[in-house]
Amino acid sequence: MSLERRTIDSPLANAPLTQTQAPSLPYDPVALMPDVKVLKVGGQSIMDRGRKALFPILDELAAAKDRHKLLLCCGGGTRARHIYAVASDLELPTGLLAALGGYVPRQNARMLQMLLARHGGIFILHDDFEKLPLYFRLGCIPIMTGMPPFGYWEKPTENGRIPQHRTDAGVFLSAEVLGVKRAIFIKDEDGLFTDDPKKNPNASHIPNIGARELMKRDLADLVLERVVIEYLTRARFCHELQIINGLEPGMVTRALEGENVGTIIYKD
């Protein structure tokens, strides 16, 4: 019996994987489920407003479930902000803030599941992500937290302690891994503005803009997490972020049908 070591030939076999330029490999990523509609239900903008804001949106989603495969992700809202504020005052590290802040959007996802139960709403954890094809085949509406699974391993931020990868980032990353071209963010504003329209009535609406151009503008207020705009410039599949006002009747349905309502931030 030979004890000779067997070596599998590979371009990366002897690569350190830490060099400036990795070995060139053919890369043609597979779009896993490009026909899925990935949506975020805002925490502070929608969930925290209660029944009056949320129920009409759920009615639109329930009516659309037979025409579209819907993956719903939830934001945290005011309660998550309270957690970040208290934990920051206690001088806890960013990774712990990410772990604590992740509980609130999970609670919101559970509430959405119960409200959509009669329409096939099902709560899923990150570990259930690979079961999405089964859930869609069964006619379900999978609902999950928008928080990405960084937890204690969240990267330190440049300023302060608030995790940079929050629920907007999780929604974008979910769309990217599924191969979905556009992620939809249901907020309480008509999209992106030059300033916070709630504080500045003279702020101008931006109907569409490239990610790099938006980063150059360096606006004081953004409707999405800044890290998502940066990642959009490097995306392979998710090339558009659509922000819509879910408080306007019919807006969710129009977005699901592909209308360019609200604001479109695109990869440029």
Side-chain angles (χ1 to χ4, degrees), residues 190-194 204-206 209 214 219 221-223 263 265:
D190 294 331
L192 177 68
F193 286 78
T194 54
S204 301
H205 179 247
I206 303 174
I209 188 172
L214 182 56
L219 299 178
D221 181 81
L222 281 182
V223 71
T263 290
I265 304 174

Side-chain angles (χ1 to χ4, degrees), residues 18-128:
T18 55
Q19 59 199 40
T20 304
Q21 291 185 341
S24 178
L25 296 174
Y27 179 49
D28 188 14
V30 175
L32 301 180
M33 302 186 73
D35 56 339
V36 172
K37 301 290 186 180
V38 179
L39 304 96
K40 177 190 175 183
V41 179
Q44 190 173 53
S45 55
I46 302 297
M47 295 290 294
D48 289 353
R49 293 175 181 268
R51 179 190 193 105
K52 185 176 180 180
L54 181 61
F55 275 31
I57 293 174
L58 298 187
D59 288 341
E60 290 192 53
L61 293 173
K65 69 175 288 285
D66 292 332
R67 302 192 307 276
H68 305 287
K69 298 174 183 177
L70 307 177
L71 172 62
L72 304 185
C73 305
C74 291
T78 304
R79 285 170 291 140
R81 287 163 171 77
H82 287 329
I83 288 178
Y84 293 140
V86 173
S88 295
D89 184 62
L90 295 174
E91 298 187 356
L92 297 175
T94 297
L96 190 54
L97 265 69
L100 294 173
Y103 291 118
V104 180
R106 197 179 307 165
Q107 292 170 350
N108 285 341
R110 288 188 181 276
M111 286 192 281
L112 274 190
Q113 183 276 320
M114 294 173 187
L115 292 171
L116 287 171
R118 61 195 176 105
H119 301 292
I122 182 170
F123 173 77
I124 69 172
L125 297 170
H126 291 121
D127 290 344
D128 298 318

Side-chain angles (χ1 to χ4, degrees), residues 40 45 81 166-168 185-198 205-206 214 219-226 228-229 241-245 263 265:
K40 177 190 175 183
S45 55
R81 287 163 171 77
R166 301 188 302 278
T167 52
D168 289 344
F185 296 80
I186 306 174
K187 305 277 189 176
D188 61 349
E189 298 173 357
D190 294 331
L192 177 68
F193 286 78
T194 54
D195 197 5
D196 186 348
K198 295 185 178 70
H205 179 247
I206 303 174
L214 182 56
L219 299 178
D221 181 81
L222 281 182
V223 71
L224 296 179
E225 296 159 19
R226 295 179 186 272
V228 178
I229 310 303
L241 311 175
Q242 183 173 24
I243 304 101
I244 62 170
N245 189 345
T263 290
I265 304 174

Side-chain angles (χ1 to χ4, degrees), residues 246-261:
L247 303 181
E248 287 193 24
M251 197 60 67
V252 172
T253 301
R254 294 174 64 186
L256 288 173
E257 295 300 327
E259 291 191 38
N260 292 332
V261 291

